[in-house]
């Protein structure tokens, strides 16, 4: 919610509140970003929470970047440390930096301190997101896919090259350049 500037997800201090994956699209430094707020990854206390955690894990498998949000105002739990160990590539957020740090020496050195309450660290988090998602900014004039159809065409073209199918590759490139066969201008 703090990154978006408005309340998109319901929030609570009670663990297990988030059950569904809440998705929104925003932009950071001009780059479009799909954000997914999921249930926390932990041992579920009941069946409905377990279903939310399953949905979260499915979304995480598809994510270009995982964010681990640690509540540094609460002492670390074994599950928190396990996630940090298993998701070394994740961007770590030390949330609630306006409260005393109860993680002490266990906070990862590269964790970004953020406070949703005060807004502290949000610009640093945005910069870190962009640098992780777009590590090398393409030079001006470089074509970029801008929609799901174009991305899908490029993925199919890659598969055609990998399977050594020049005919399929040429057809896909033609579709990419002109649109699908059933596409008509409005």
């Amino acid at each position: 919610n703090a990154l978006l500037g408005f309340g998109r997800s319901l929030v609570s201090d009670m663990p297990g509140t988030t059950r569904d994956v809440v998705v929104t699209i925003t932009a950071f430094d001009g780059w479009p970003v799909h954000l997914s707020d999921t249930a926390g990854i932990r041992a579920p206390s009941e069946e409905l929470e377990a279903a939310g955690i399953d949905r979260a894990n499915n979304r995480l498998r598809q994510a270009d970047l995982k964010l681990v949000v640690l509540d540094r105002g609460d002492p670390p739990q074994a599950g928190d440390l396990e996630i940090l160990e298993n998701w070394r590539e994740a961007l770590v957020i030390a949330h609630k930096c306006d409260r005393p740090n109860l993680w002490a020496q266990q906070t990862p050195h590269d964790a970004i301190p953020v406070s949703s309450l005060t807004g502290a660290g949000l610009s640093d988090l945005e910069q870190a997101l962009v640098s992780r998602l777009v590590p090398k900014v393409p030079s001006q004039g470089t074509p970029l896919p801008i929609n799901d159809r174009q991305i899908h065409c490029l993925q199919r073209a890659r598969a055609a090259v990998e399977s050594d199918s020049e005919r399929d590759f040429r057809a896909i490139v033609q579709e990419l350049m002109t649109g699908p066969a059933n596409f008509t201008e409005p």
Side-chain angles (χ1 to χ4, degrees), residues 54-66:
D54 283 344
R55 286 182 178 192
N57 281 317
N58 288 335
R59 180 57 58 123
L60 287 164
R61 280 190 282 281
Q62 301 168 20
D64 292 324
L65 175 62
K66 293 177 182 80

Side-chain angles (χ1 to χ4, degrees), residues 11 13 18 30 34 37 50 63 65 73 75 78 84-85 90 98 100 108 110 121 129-130 133-134 138 143 146 158 180:
V11 294
D13 286 336
T18 303
H34 290 238
D37 185 16
L65 175 62
L84 289 173
E85 181 65 30
D98 51 289
D110 58 349
L129 284 166
V130 170
L133 291 170
V134 187
I146 60 168
R158 174 190 233 168

